[in-house]
Amino acid sequence: MKKQGTTNLRVEAAEASKKAILDAAEALFAEKGYDATSLQEICDSAGVTRGLPGYFFGSKDGLYRAVLERSMARAQDLVTYLREQIQSKEVRGKELLKIIIELLYDEFTSHPTFIHITEWEALHKGRYLGNLPAQLQVLRDGLQVLQEDTSLRIDAEQFLIDFFSLCWFPVVHTYTFLKPLGINIQDPEFKIRHKHHVVQLLLRSSQI
């Protein structure tokens, strides 16, 4: 019994260290990009020994991919939830689209680090993210979910492009365009106003 308890503690400690490394890596990759971030910086930020990232992820490249895949897993969970909402048939048409937009908006604004990492990827023509199987699959799944419900009657591809454009800009340009205007994207009142604005714009552009 004591041995089992010790094993559980070791597993929990390992998982906690792994999460700390992923969290630190995500924050640093978002702030500095892949090339300018060192494994030592990640270890210092995570409070772990130098060898642990290699033990868990094999290399800096492996750690970076793990960070991207964790973000894709969050997105896949959201797509699964949206599919369940559509299949439940409890809400339809404009109300369903409103729910979808609000859920996507909350996911975007609550995880700005992924958007910042994606911007670094864009500067390098998506050298990792553009070829990540999970990224490709979640986008395909997202399109399929939007196309599954005929009550939506939207151009799914254009809808996603419009949504990303409306939500991406404020997160990416927090310090370039919004700060000089005195706008704080983390201000709850701004988030409420902006989400309402995004919802209304996208609903008006739909054929519902």
Side-chain angles (χ1 to χ4, degrees), residues 169 173-183:
F169 185 89
H173 291 288
T174 297
Y175 302 103
T176 53
F177 285 93
L178 271 63
K179 186 177 179 179
L181 294 173
I183 298 173

Side-chain angles (χ1 to χ4, degrees), residues 65-105:
R65 289 180 178 274
V67 167
L68 296 177
E69 287 169 355
R70 186 172 68 161
S71 296
M72 289 301 101
R74 286 197 302 259
Q76 190 62 62
D77 289 342
L78 180 60
V79 169
T80 300
Y81 177 76
L82 292 176
R83 176 173 280 120
E84 290 171 353
Q85 293 299 302
I86 289 175
Q87 292 175 347
S88 72
K89 302 186 184 301
E90 293 180 3
V91 289
R92 306 283 342 119
K94 186 170 289 189
E95 184 60 29
L96 175 60
L97 189 58
K98 180 176 181 292
I99 291 172
I100 290 173
I101 296 168
E102 289 179 341
L103 285 171
L104 289 173
Y105 182 92

Side-chain angles (χ1 to χ4, degrees), residues 43-63:
C43 291
D44 292 343
S45 179
V48 300
T49 58
R50 180 65 176 79
L52 270 187
Y55 174 77
F56 287 124
F57 306 102
S59 63
K60 178 181 170 182
D61 183 78
L63 173 56

